[in-house]
Amino acid sequence: MPNKIASIAIPNNEPILSYLPNSNERKQLKLELARRKNCVYDIPMFINGKEVRTNETADIFPPHELDHKIAQYHKGNATHVQQAIDAALSAREKWANMHWEERASIFLKAADLIAGPYRASINAATMLAQSKNVFQAEIDAACELADFLRFNVYFAAQIYSEQPISSPGMRNTLEYRPLEGFIYAITPFNFTAISGNLSAAPALMGNVIVWKPSNTQIYSAWTVMEIFREAGLPDGVINMVFANAVETTNLILAHPDFAGVHFTGSTGVFNHIWETVGKNLHLYKNYPRLVGETGGKDFIIAHSSADIDVLATALLRGAFEFQGQKCSACSRAYVPNSIWDATWEKMYEALKTFKIGNVENFTVLMGAVISEDAYKRITNYIEQAKSNPDNIIMYGGNYDNKKGYFIEPTVILTKDPKSLTMREEIFGPVLTIYVYDEEDLDATLHLVDTTSEYALTGAIIAQDIYAIEKMKKALTNSAGNFYINDKCTGAVVGQQPFGGARKSGTNDKAGSKWNLLRWVSPRTVKESYISPKYYAYPYMSEE
Ligand code: NAD
């Protein structure tokens, strides 16, 4: 019965489990890892509620154990993309017209499945597919994905309840219509949570989706899809295809019913999408919504009043957790000369204890980088840095791909604040540090603001309150997520809505009301209770 108004309480963030030795969650996760390592998944595409297999497959290996096949996935082609679009469009009317609370209930159920019976499964899949350690998998796949799904429902309820005022004699309402057409969700390798959210958020608002995950994340994306299915997602609402990225994108961006793209990935790809949409504008029925969260060159700048332990910890965690493959990872830092020696001493002592290896061993901090392409790209940056006379490699700089794509945490000290590794996104465990004269804070803040094209995350580490105010103001436009006395990673849904401006994206803040608003097209309805019955107005009468 639609005769009710549900009250949606503000959700709590999913608690992060500890995985201490002998804990129940640790035992379950170990069992699940062993189970998954003992079988080879056969991963189909998913179109119109059906598993679709083809004659062409590609193998999947954990990035940290390249001789152990864990799955194969079925590659699609243009026909499958077309089928996915058709399936989405046929599912649209029923899904869009379903009471929103019923749609919400599917995603709330999915969140509970993730937090409960599927927790070990989705975490194990993420550890194996993306080489995340247990903690990184837990905060991503279990907690952040459950948070996205629950907070989206809470924000959707707020949006739907936002209504215009009505003057006497009329009733005004806003209907938050889903977009007319289908949404294209293109997802990155690095967060299982993002992969699920990019299709789930527009779907919650009544849209239908074609989802193309990153090839290097298909293994965990498939587990997300399985959970959505178990939660009761109707056929055709989210269709998952594994066809060539360029071919899929070209076909979709030329479709008249293309209504929007929900993208997270690199800036170059999003630029290309935007340009193509511009060229194809005449083909579309609507102006498509373009939502893209893209690259970063995230910074930490310390003031001479910084607490050295806080600074060293923020640099190490910010730069090297998940092998530096977070869009928010710290990859450039600015430390005043007065505290550099003490900071480096702390960092060096800690770095010597870092354990790198197979993440299935829970004592390991850093796993492998995602792929051979990433390995080549990152090690190329390291070699270029080594050959620059302005640089000193303070730590690491070695790598080895015999068993997996392993790269040491690498710290570069540079004399040139505009050197290559200070400017470009590397997306690996490489941190470049520039030591500035503490008298030159203003000039250094200007450097922080102008050195890269991105503006995603940044942090300042300082104790002096006036310095904090000054740095915060000078860096107003340098980051969409700004931290004071903390690392620049680890945004939590509902607490630090995430996204950046400049070439870091459209800053629609994933997991927030602002993002959900992009997936609706409001219709304003005015109903007159006492309607006029003659054209003339009173002022027209004779004197
Ligand atoms: P990527 O750009 O290589 O891939 C992202 C997606 O785009 C994948 O599904 C990929 O298959 C697809 N793709 C690749 N080339 C394409 C093309 N020519 N046309 C259409 N689609 C194409 O990114 P990635 O390596 O998966 O992820 C890392 C990038 O994502 C980094 O730049 C990182 O900063 C960014 N990222 C940003 C955020 C954020 O919130 N701002 C979050 C996570 C990752």
Side-chain angles (χ1 to χ4, degrees):
M1 280 289 281
N3 300 343
K4 62 183 178 349
I5 297 175
S7 82
I8 310 280
I10 187 157
N12 293 317
N13 288 111
E14 178 60 29
I16 301 167
L17 300 184
S18 66
Y19 296 87
L20 291 173
N22 296 322
S23 63
N24 197 25
E25 65 265 19
R26 184 160 168 143
K27 282 183 203 149
Q28 278 182 20
L29 183 55
K30 291 241 169 192
L31 281 174
E32 178 64 10
L33 282 165
R35 190 189 67 74
R36 281 180 175 259
K37 291 293 288 293
N38 271 331
C39 56
V40 176
Y41 277 35
D42 184 56
I43 303 181
M45 291 179 285
F46 191 66
I47 302 171
N48 205 17
K50 293 192 183 51
E51 299 188 348
V52 177
R53 291 181 167 78
T54 62
N55 292 329
E56 209 190 336
T57 59
D59 295 339
I60 298 178
F61 307 90
H64 50 261
E65 198 180 357
L66 298 173
D67 60 359
H68 191 117
K69 179 174 166 182
I70 49 172
Q72 59 186 20
Y73 69 89
H74 289 258
K75 288 184 171 182
N77 55 32
T79 310
H80 301 107
V81 177
Q82 189 58 55
Q83 286 169 358
I85 297 171
D86 293 344
L89 291 173
S90 347
R92 186 180 176 279
E93 195 181 334
K94 265 189 170 167
W95 182 247
N97 288 309
M98 187 168 168
H99 196 292
W100 82 271
E101 287 169 15
E102 305 306 325
R103 293 199 304 265
S105 133
I106 291 168
F107 293 109
L108 290 174
K109 179 172 176 187
D112 284 356
L113 289 170
I114 288 161
Y118 274 86
R119 194 178 198 114
S121 175
I122 200 157
N123 280 340
T126 301
M127 290 173 75
L128 295 174
Q130 289 120 293
S131 200
K132 290 202 171 191
N133 69 27
V134 55
F135 178 72
Q136 295 300 321
E138 168 78 2
I139 59 175
D140 164 17
C143 299
E144 190 173 25
L145 184 49
D147 285 352
F148 272 138
L149 299 172
R150 291 171 178 152
F151 277 86
N152 281 345
V153 169
Y154 173 71
F155 293 128
Q158 286 190 347
I159 290 172
Y160 290 141
S161 65
E162 223 160 89
Q163 293 294 329
I165 55 165
S166 297
S167 298
M170 67 179 72
R171 183 169 73 105
N172 297 324
T173 47
L174 271 185
E175 292 171 356
Y176 292 89
R177 299 172 301 180
L179 304 185
E180 216 182 348
F182 68 95
I183 306 297
Y184 180 28
I186 317 179
T187 61
F189 79 83
N190 64 340
F191 276 82
T192 302
I194 296 178
S195 82
N197 184 51
L198 294 199
S199 49
L204 171 68
M205 305 311 281
N207 296 283
V208 287
I209 320 290
V210 177
W211 173 14
K212 196 212 79 59
S214 164
N215 286 349
T216 44
Q217 193 255 335
I218 285 174
Y219 186 77
S220 47
W222 175 246
T223 302
V224 174
M225 194 72 234
E226 281 186 311
I227 294 168
F228 287 166
R229 290 166 71 183
E230 182 159 342
L233 192 75
D235 295 352
V237 172
I238 297 178
N239 304 278
M240 184 186 235
V241 289
F242 309 143
N244 172 279
V246 174
E247 201 181 344
T248 306
T249 304
N250 286 343
L251 209 148
I252 287 180
L253 298 187
H255 198 287
D257 292 302
F258 166 65
V261 69
H262 203 188
F263 174 83
T264 297
S266 52
T267 300
V269 173
F270 190 55
N271 288 350
H272 178 71
I273 290 169
W274 195 295
E275 282 161 14
T276 310
V277 168
K279 282 189 203 123
N280 289 352
L281 212 50
H282 63 285
L283 299 174
Y284 308 134
K285 294 178 184 163
N286 285 279
Y287 291 100
R289 302 282 168 94
L290 305 179
V291 176
E293 303 306 334
T294 57
K297 185 68 189 171
D298 311 299
F299 62 84
I300 292 180
I301 172 166
H303 180 253
S304 51
S305 65
D307 177 318
I308 309 281
D309 290 309
V310 171
L311 174 59
T313 305
L315 289 170
L316 293 170
R317 286 187 168 177
F320 300 124
E321 283 184 318
F322 185 36
Q323 298 79 264
Q325 298 173 115
K326 299 185 183 188
C327 48
S328 53
C330 173
S331 63
R332 56 184 172 124
Y334 303 78
V335 180
N337 48 357
S338 51
I339 59 169
W340 167 240
D341 287 345
T343 306
W344 176 243
E345 204 175 306
K346 298 263 178 201
M347 289 177 71
Y348 182 68
E349 288 309 312
L351 278 163
K352 284 193 297 188
T353 68
F354 274 31
K355 212 162 168 181
I356 308 161
N358 186 328
V359 290
E360 293 154 57
N361 171 352
F362 281 23
T363 65
V364 158
L365 179 72
M366 289 172 64
V369 301
I370 190 71
S371 65
E372 192 175 353
D373 282 353
Y375 181 81
K376 282 188 188 150
R377 189 191 62 242
I378 300 161
T379 55
N380 191 28
Y381 273 110
I382 291 175
E383 289 310 314
Q384 288 192 62
K386 283 180 186 170
S387 67
N388 181 342
D390 283 331
N391 293 338
I392 301 171
I393 307 296
M394 300 291 284
Y395 196 88
N398 302 308
Y399 38 88
D400 182 347
N401 62 357
K402 282 194 282 297
K403 291 193 178 140
Y405 305 115
F406 292 107
I407 301 178
E408 282 181 352
T410 298
V411 181
I412 303 164
L413 185 67
T414 190
K415 278 192 232 141
D416 175 6
K418 298 241 171 166
S419 59
L420 186 70
T421 58
M422 286 299 275
R423 289 195 324 266
E424 293 190 6
E425 182 177 55
I426 300 169
F427 224 59
V430 181
L431 168 65
T432 308
I433 300 177
Y434 174 67
V435 175
Y436 71 93
D437 186 329
E438 68 174 353
E439 301 300 320
D440 292 341
L441 180 61
D442 287 335
T444 309
L445 287 167
H446 183 68
L447 268 178
V448 174
D449 187 47
T450 54
T451 294
S452 96
E453 61 176 343
Y454 303 106
L456 189 52
T457 77
I460 56 176
I461 311 288
Q463 299 290 317
D464 177 334
I465 186 74
Y466 292 117
I468 291 175
E469 274 312 293
K470 178 196 182 93
M471 294 164 89
K472 198 169 133 192
K473 184 155 179 272
L475 300 172
T476 299
N477 293 310
S478 317
N481 280 63
F482 193 73
Y483 296 83
I484 302 168
N485 288 322
D486 207 338
K487 62 182 165 54
C488 53
T489 60
V492 174
V493 178
Q495 298 195 39
Q496 297 97 23
F498 192 79
R502 295 186 183 161
K503 288 292 155 59
S504 288
T506 51
N507 200 12
D508 289 295
K509 302 288 188 200
S512 78
K513 198 169 161 182
W514 300 285
N515 177 285
L516 298 182
L517 277 169
R518 301 299 306 273
W519 308 119
V520 291
S521 176
R523 175 168 83 149
T524 307
V525 180
K526 173 188 174 187
E527 181 189 352
S528 279
Y529 293 146
I530 301 158
S531 310
K533 294 195 174 170
Y534 187 63
Y535 85 93
Y537 291 96
Y539 75 85
M540 294 171 168
S541 17
E542 297 283 351
E543 290 297 326

